[in-house]
Amino acid sequence: MQRTVLAESVLGDGRLLRLATAEAADAQAISEVILDAFSNRPKVIPPPPALNETPESVQTALARGFGVLALVDDEPAGVIIVSIDGALAGIHRVSVRPSFQRLGIASVMVTVVLEALALQSVQSVELVARTEFPAVVAWWHRHGFNETARTGTSLTLARQLPVCVQTATAEDTQALGRRLAGLVRAGDVLIAAGDLGAGKTTLAQGLGAGLDVSGPVISPTFVLSRVHPPNGTGPALVHVDAYRLGTAAELDDLDLDASTQESVTLVEWGTGVAEGLSTDRLEIDIRRSLDPADETRWIFLTPVGERWANLRAELEAK
């Protein structure tokens, strides 16, 4: 079957992970993944409706939105079904087969879904989780979802969607960095993710130029962090490369806490490592085309915390 591939990655064990759009023809495989995942969970009363999923109900759900299918070496491993109602989307049936769990597949699927919704100009997304599974609720909290309603043991969790900015050239990416410089202030933490060559340092160069700091702003890979003092009265830029850091504890050794309140801190490769620097932060994910000749970048800006609650309006104003 010809599939539309949304993203590719390599798992820690070397297997290829592909995220593809789910088609109606995938309904049988999708229902099997859902039943396998949910039947492996501890039993609760009442049982989750997902245990009644059928190929027919999957096709009906896909018609209300779309689905993302995770394939590990072309074997269906996980799925998410999404409904869309205007500017609001719902996430349903987040499932990873037991034999593929603890490989980070669910996190990758959620990231791809949020970015796909951002491309469709959806502004917020919600889901329902159950209090009987506190680890699941905590997992969603770590992904930026917060409780907005509660009915019995069912929690409604919601979050804002990323703001997506498309750039065609490196100069455009630097220009976005200069726009962000007009929004940031001392104490702000930005975490940038993206493949090698995606444009993280290019964005940092635009941020540094907009802040008018001493340069040059280059990748601090071999020194781990570099401080760029301001030329004027604005904040300094602390530029960190966490590529060689495996844990948040190693990041703590850089003693960034001493400078974060007086500076703007940008951490490249900081996902999963740097979130502890601030509960309010701007997460930046830079995606590039699977075609190496295509210079287009899709830059997803995800606001976390009240500090960035008005990001969309402020960025548009710039």
Side-chain angles (χ1 to χ4, degrees), residues 44-52 130:
V44 293
I45 302 298
L51 292 175
N52 299 318
R130 295 179 63 158

Side-chain angles (χ1 to χ4, degrees), residues 200-201 204-205 217-220 223-228 237-241 264-268:
K200 299 182 292 296
T201 301
Q205 290 168 345
V217 177
I218 59 176
S219 176
V223 297
L224 298 182
S225 69
R226 182 177 283 113
V227 178
H228 296 274
L237 172 64
V238 178
H239 188 198
V240 183
D241 190 320
V264 173
T265 303
L266 172 63
V267 185
E268 296 188 25

Side-chain angles (χ1 to χ4, degrees), residues 41-42 94 127-143 145 155 157:
R41 294 184 177 186
V94 181
L127 57 92
V128 175
R130 295 179 63 158
T131 57
E132 297 99 324
F133 302 116
V136 173
V137 174
W139 187 88
W140 284 112
H141 285 162
R142 290 197 299 273
H143 285 76
F145 285 78
L155 304 179
L157 306 176

Side-chain angles (χ1 to χ4, degrees), residues 41-183:
R41 294 184 177 186
K43 302 297 186 290
V44 293
I45 302 298
L51 292 175
N52 299 318
E53 206 69 83
T54 65
E56 292 73 25
S57 63
V58 167
Q59 288 184 347
T60 299
L62 290 176
R64 294 196 292 265
F66 65 92
V68 170
L69 184 62
L71 301 158
V72 176
D73 287 346
D74 289 328
E75 182 180 351
V79 68
I80 293 180
I81 297 177
V82 181
S83 61
I84 300 177
D85 183 10
L88 176 66
I91 289 180
H92 316 276
R93 306 295 190 257
V94 181
S95 309
V96 177
R97 304 191 92 145
S99 58
F100 293 101
Q101 291 178 2
R102 295 181 176 84
L103 294 172
I105 293 175
S107 291
V108 176
M109 288 196 302
V110 168
T111 297
V112 168
V113 163
L114 296 181
E115 293 177 354
L117 289 170
L119 288 170
Q120 300 185 44
S121 299
V122 176
Q123 296 186 13
S124 59
V125 61
E126 65 181 22
L127 57 92
V128 175
R130 295 179 63 158
T131 57
E132 297 99 324
F133 302 116
V136 173
V137 174
W139 187 88
W140 284 112
H141 285 162
R142 290 197 299 273
H143 285 76
F145 285 78
N146 295 301
E147 180 180 341
T148 59
R150 181 184 294 238
T151 303
T153 61
S154 296
L155 304 179
T156 299
L157 306 176
R159 60 160 289 172
Q160 286 184 286
L161 281 167
V163 177
C164 180
V165 179
Q166 183 175 325
T167 63
T169 65
E171 290 75 17
D172 291 341
T173 300
Q174 289 183 343
L176 175 60
R178 287 192 291 272
R179 288 169 64 191
L180 290 176
L183 304 182

